């Protein structure tokens, strides 16, 4: 792994005037602190810099092999996914909310004959619950996000790819599906086999740190 | 880094009969697939095993330096935290929900004179919204989780430590605080300066994979 140009610049600034806070680094480089997060995380993890609480960054000079981070993309989602919680599209919004609480999940996936047709998040439910709709009468099929507007993944996708999709689409959870052929026509349907959420990714992050 | 006994066992089984699926590994070791997740992730990331989609694990024989994973605990939460969204405890539940949507966050932190007094999540709001309470009249102070029952962290804590707390306590978000002394008495109060959520950890995970 080679450091990027900006990462090299950060190392140079820290070497010249350590300890250097991330605020000072951001100012010198003319960027926001948020923009430096990834660079500082990489430099800290490779042992090039050390982050001293309440002091700032100092030069440590190690350069650990970061191929291990490249291998993040080899962890398949099929290995870390959870069981999905699904309801039929005729379920009332109220019953669906109760089911959401009983299963303690953030998103319900909606199926019809085992085929993925929609998704409803806690956020969607909250919006409808304060909107004056009679949640005892309206079926979930009316308020759900409907296919093809659902972001999904396959068991062989990498955890990294789907974590990226979660961030890009600003969603909490992605259904993991398998393709099934409809016997009547040539249409390909999606059967839901799992789900991956920010919780799965956070758990993986904790597990990776635990081994050491 | 030394592999654990179980990780060594996994390598032995894969070497003897590759490719081996995680189902087969779980059966041979008498554990659930979920219990093997962390071990398989570590072995894949270090390059010892390779995960072939739809085939199983094969032996690759590399052993990358995993000190880099140990350094996960050096990334300080102060570097990756977000701005907290706070409301005063006299705000009505309805107004607080609107504020939650306008800021597009999952948790509101409740303050009184800048001091952290409570927290309310989307889940808490949904529960109250379907419960028949008049959300236009009840102030958020009545329904919030109240100090000292709130899990919090400090900017100098590691991202790893707080990710672990998020998983252990089954919460979405942790307020990051600084101690301030009350001038009247000796009491130590907590001023909220940031928050860390599963979203921050997922973003960090994506950033770590991006550099490569």
């Amino acid at each position: 792994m080679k450091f990027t140009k900006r990462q090299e610049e950060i190392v140079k600034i820290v070497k010249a005037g350590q300890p250097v806070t991330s605020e000072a680094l951001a100012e010198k480089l003319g960027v926001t602190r948020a923009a430096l997060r990834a660079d500082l995380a990489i430099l800290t993890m490779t042992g090039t810099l050390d982050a001293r609480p309440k002091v700032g960054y100092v030069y440590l000079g190690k350069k650990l092999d970061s191929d291990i981070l490249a291998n993040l993309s080899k962890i398949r989602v099929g290995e870390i996914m959870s069981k999905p919680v699904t309801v039929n599209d005729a379920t009332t919004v109220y019953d669906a909310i109760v089911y959401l609480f009983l299963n303690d999940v953030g998103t319900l996936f909606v199926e019809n004959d085992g085929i993925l047709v929609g998704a409803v998040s806690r956020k969607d439910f909250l919006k409808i619950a304060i909107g004056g709709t009679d949640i005892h009468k309206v079926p979930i099929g009316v308020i759900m996000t409907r296919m093809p507007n659902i972001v999904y993944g396959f068991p062989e996708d990498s955890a990294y790819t789907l974590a990226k999709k979660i961030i890009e689409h600003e969603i909490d959870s992605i259904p993991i599906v398998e393709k099934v052929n409809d016997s009547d026509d040539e249409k390909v349907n999606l059967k839901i086999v799992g789900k991956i959420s920010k919780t799965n990714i956070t758990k993986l992050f904790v597990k990776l740190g635990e081994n050491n």
Side-chain angles (χ1 to χ4, degrees), chain A:
Chain A
M1 171 214 189
K2 278 190 62 160
F3 286 143
T4 63
K5 213 173 150 186
R6 188 194 272 163
Q7 286 163 358
E8 298 284 8
E9 269 185 281
I10 292 172
V11 172
K12 221 168 117 184
I13 296 172
V14 172
K15 265 182 170 171
Q18 53 187 327
V20 183
T21 63
S22 56
E23 287 90 340
L25 276 167
E27 208 185 316
K28 280 207 175 152
L29 293 164
V31 295
T32 62
R33 266 182 80 182
L36 290 182
R37 279 175 191 173
D39 295 321
L40 289 170
I42 295 284
L43 290 169
T44 305
M45 283 185 68
T46 51
T48 309
L49 300 184
D50 194 19
R52 303 257 164 94
K54 295 185 176 174
V55 176
Y57 288 88
V58 295
Y59 182 68
L60 205 62
K62 288 185 198 167
K63 196 166 174 182
L64 301 175
D65 187 354
S66 74
D67 285 353
I68 205 165
L69 291 179
N71 282 343
L72 263 182
S73 64
K74 288 197 175 171
I75 300 175
R76 304 288 153 195
V77 92
E79 297 296 334
I80 66 159
M81 70 188 184
S82 305
K83 275 174 88 165
V85 177
T86 61
V87 289
N88 185 274
D89 57 1
T91 314
T92 67
V93 170
Y94 181 83
D95 286 348
I97 294 174
V98 171
Y99 199 63
L100 185 89
F101 276 105
L102 290 177
N103 286 282
D104 200 20
V105 290
T107 303
L108 290 180
F109 296 107
V110 187
E111 48 83 30
N112 196 321
D113 278 339
I115 301 305
L116 177 69
V117 294
V120 193
S121 70
R122 218 178 256 155
K123 196 167 154 183
D124 301 324
F125 280 128
L126 184 56
K127 204 181 286 174
I128 207 85
I130 64 163
T133 308
D134 185 347
I135 59 174
H136 292 274
K137 283 191 183 147
V138 174
I140 200 170
V142 174
I143 67 150
M144 71 187 184
T145 302
R146 189 173 288 278
M147 283 293 287
N149 300 317
I150 297 171
V151 179
Y152 56 84
F154 297 98
E156 55 272 23
D157 286 341
S158 80
Y160 167 72
T161 306
L162 293 191
K164 215 172 154 188
K165 277 195 184 175
I166 284 177
I167 296 302
E168 279 168 2
H169 295 272
E170 296 186 10
I171 49 183
D172 285 324
S173 172
I174 290 182
I176 307 301
V177 299
E178 272 169 12
K179 285 181 182 166
V180 285
N181 281 307
D182 196 310
S183 51
D184 295 340
D185 51 4
E186 302 278 281
K187 219 176 91 187
V188 171
N189 286 315
L190 301 175
K191 198 183 122 197
I192 178 164
V193 296
K195 69 152 184 177
I196 181 117
S197 66
K198 289 177 193 167
T199 307
N200 298 109
I201 302 297
T202 305
K203 276 186 184 166
L204 178 57
F205 181 84
V206 171
K207 289 283 181 189
L208 291 180
E210 239 165 35
N211 207 66
N212 290 279

